[in-house]
Amino acid sequence: MNQQTLAAHESLEVHEAINFKTLCILKSKMMQGLVFDQDLKALMQKDVEQATQAIADLQVVYAKAAFQAPIPNRPTPILN
């Protein structure tokens, strides 16, 4: 069975999407420490959880790339 691979431009686009989602997580985690409204803080936490799932989903697709650059692990939480 032939394993399908992504074209070079597709690999690049998926990698860029992973980088973008990683930055989204970082920004939401950082901003949670500055927000006092609990509803907004909960919304930001939901964004972190959804972006984390999106990265996991994108990594499955990215595994089909003919060439790959290393993807950093999930960002270390700044605040607990």
Side-chain angles (χ1 to χ4, degrees):
M1 183 165 106
N2 293 337
Q3 181 180 357
Q4 294 181 343
T5 58
L6 298 175
H9 72 281
E10 293 170 327
S11 300
L12 180 61
E13 289 177 11
V14 172
H15 190 266
E16 287 176 352
I18 291 170
N19 285 340
F20 175 73
K21 284 298 185 183
T22 301
L23 289 174
C24 290
I25 291 172
L26 179 63
K27 184 175 180 181
S28 287
K29 290 299 274 184
M30 287 178 55
M31 296 304 291
Q32 282 181 25
L34 302 173
V35 172
F36 296 105
D37 182 73
Q38 293 305 312
D39 291 336
L40 181 55
K41 195 175 275 196
L43 185 62
M44 294 169 114
Q45 182 57 36
K46 185 175 181 179
D47 179 57
V48 168
E49 293 165 5
Q50 289 177 340
T52 301
Q53 182 59 49
I55 288 173
D57 295 342
L58 286 167
Q59 284 177 320
V60 171
V61 174
Y62 191 64
K64 297 177 183 178
F67 63 90
Q68 298 179 10
I71 299 173
N73 290 333
R74 183 173 166 254
T76 304
I78 296 171
L79 304 170
N80 292 326

